[in-house]
Amino acid sequence: MALLAIKTNLEPWWRQLVTVAYEQARGLAGRSAVDGVSVNFYSRPGDRAQVAVQHGKLLAAAAAAMQAFRRAALTRLAGR
C-alpha cells in the first residue's frame, strides 16, 4: 500500500481496495489464526477442565476425521 501512495495519486480508500484485491488474487488475504489450530483450556468447578479445539479451513470430510481424532486423543488424555 505504501508503494501505491508513492507511485500514484490514489486516495487511501482506493489504495486499500487495490491492495486487498492484489492479496486476494494471490491467496494472501484473509489469513488468520483459525487457518491453523487454536486450542483453549478453561477451568471448571470441581477440579475439572474444558478443552476447546478449533481447526480452520478444512473440507467437511477432513473436518469430521479431525474431530474424531481429537475426540479420541482427548478421551485418552482424560484416562477414560
Side-chain angles (χ1 to χ4, degrees), residues 10-76:
L10 292 174
E11 294 294 322
W13 188 89
W14 287 104
R15 291 193 306 258
Q16 182 66 30
L17 181 71
V18 170
T19 301
V20 169
Y22 175 85
E23 290 174 346
Q24 287 175 339
R26 280 149 187 78
L28 303 174
R31 293 184 159 210
S32 65
V34 297
D35 283 355
V37 177
S38 173
V39 180
N40 295 294
F41 296 89
Y42 304 97
S43 64
R44 294 292 180 233
D47 202 26
R48 296 181 54 100
Q50 176 183 350
V51 179
V53 181
Q54 193 171 19
H55 199 149
K57 295 201 175 184
L58 291 175
L59 298 175
M66 187 58 70
Q67 183 180 19
F69 172 79
R70 288 191 305 253
R71 183 174 285 128
L74 290 170
T75 299
R76 287 191 308 272

